[in-house]
Structures are given as C-alpha cells and as structure tokens.
Amino acid sequence: MAAHIIVFGNEKGGSGKSTNCMHVVTALVRAGFTVGALDLDLRQRSFSRYCENRLRFAKKNGLELASPEVVELPEVDPASLGAGENIYDRRLTEAVAGMEGRFDFIVIDCPGSHTRLSQVAHSLADTLITPLNDSFIDFDLLARIEPETQKIIGPSVYSEMVWQARQLRAQAGLTPIDWVVVRNRVGTQRMHNKKKITDAVESLAKRIGFRVAPGFSERVIFRELFPSGLTLLDLGDIGIKNLNVSNIAARQEVRELMKAINLPGVKITF
C-alpha cells in the first residue's frame, strides 16, 4: 500500500506549524505507524531541529522515544537533468520515491514562504494541514478581505496555489487533497471579534473547499518542549505522571486535533 502523504503548509511564519507537525508525527509513531519526515525549510529547519533535539534528549537520558525517521533531500547532479527539468522537482521526487514502501506515512513540513519545493510538495499531499493563527492578519493567508466590512473579496495567492495543486492531482488521476485548516491560538479576544473570524473561516471553507480543525491554544508548555524535542504525549515517559490542569487541557487539544484530521486507519487511544 502506498504511503499516505501529509503536508504541513502555509506562507506565514509563527503559526505553530512545526509544533503541530511534531505532535501529529509523534502521535502516529506512538500508535505503531512508521513515519518518514522531510523538512523542506532548507533555511530555518525548525522541524528538523525539533527532531534533532528529541534524539539528543533521548540519548542523554537513556530513553526510547517514539520518533520519525528524518530523510534529507538527495543531492542531484545538474548535468543529469532533462531539458527544462527543475533540480528541486527532481530532488523532492527522488526523496519521496525512496520513501514509498518504507513508511506508512510520509510527513512533509514546508517553509513559511512560497518556494518551488513547497509548490511541488502541495501537489503530492493526500492530506494538507494549514495551521492558522486565529486573527484577520493570518486569515489573509487564505483570502483577501474588504478592510472595513471583512467581506471576502477572493482567494489569496496561497489558496490559488492549493487550487493549482488540486488541478495537477486531478490531471494525474490522483485522489483529491483533503485540506484541513487548523485554527491555532484561539485566544480570549472579544467574543464579537472571535465570532467574526469564525464566520469568515466557515464561509471561506464552503467556498474554496477545506475542513476546519481545532488547534493549539497559546500555552507556555508548547514553547518549553521544543529544546528537548518532546511533545505532550511524552511526558509520562520522562517521569511526569501527574499532569497539571493546563497540561491536561493541552493534551486534550492534541487528541481533538488528531480526531479532526481523521487520517486513514488511525485510531485515537491516548
């Protein structure tokens, strides 16, 4: 059976993408699935560093932590490219081809900017997860809005890229992308403003075809876990048996996110 490809993508930084990605990956590995991971952010490499921190922490403390296998993009000799062939297309295609058959899931973390690699990765996605901070500033990632009324004028350049990826998959006879927009940092802003954002997201979801999933609140615990490469699912493994109220609530957010993504064959048991 072909690996199910999950792509984490957007074109804005600071949306919690690497945190979402690491928790989804860890949940899958802990559930017994094999997961291969590609980090296409060749500059910041936040997801790769998260995984490196995890392996370093586990080795230092003599722990066995469920982890994905991070795969690097292969180097390609430019002389081997065909006429008009893009080197990044070849590198990503070869990486994914080498992972097929080895893993149940392939998870690709894209940079928070538009790149050729990100564009191609979106066309490979069986499931596309787009984390979004819960504000109209970040809503601009999905659609252009009229400033005074917040009326949706049309899709953004990112939404257009997803549409193009969908067209490519349709032409290749592949299954449609299941696009899931994850609302992170749903804060305590005034209820009126919060409702306007909710209405706008739900309206756009119907127009351009994505599902909406609950994400992670703004919690200190998520920032504290990165240096050790841990997730909320690992706290018991490091000896923390009695979670405080905030940690329990955060773990519930991870559970709800995994349920909402609804990946094939995945049962939520934590």
Side-chain angles (χ1 to χ4, degrees), residues 20 129-133 180-184 211 213-216 257:
N20 282 156
I129 300 174
T130 301
L132 183 77
N133 283 336
V180 184
V181 171
V182 176
R183 293 177 64 184
N184 280 333
R211 299 190 291 116
F216 299 160
L257 174 61

Side-chain angles (χ1 to χ4, degrees), residues 133-171:
N133 283 336
D134 211 56
S135 72
F136 277 114
I137 294 175
D138 282 61
F139 182 78
D140 187 64
L141 169 77
L142 300 177
R144 294 176 290 113
I145 59 174
E146 204 284 320
E148 298 299 325
T149 64
Q150 277 83 51
K151 181 181 178 181
I152 298 170
I153 301 171
S156 70
V157 289
Y158 178 74
S159 295
E160 293 283 2
M161 184 178 76
V162 176
W163 182 84
Q164 291 168 6
R166 282 174 157 164
Q167 293 299 107
L168 287 173
R169 287 182 66 86
Q171 292 166 11

Side-chain angles (χ1 to χ4, degrees), residues 10 12 17 49 51 53 69-70 103 115 124 132 135 138 160 163 170 182 186 194 204 207 214 232 252 267-268:
N10 63 16
K12 282 185 182 291
K17 182 161 59 64
R49 289 191 294 112
C51 292
N53 293 346
E69 180 181 328
V70 179
F103 300 104
T115 67
L124 299 176
L132 183 77
S135 72
D138 282 61
E160 293 283 2
W163 182 84
V182 176
V186 179
K194 191 172 182 178
L204 189 63
R207 287 179 58 175
L232 282 158
Q252 179 65 24
K267 296 181 179 179
I268 311 305

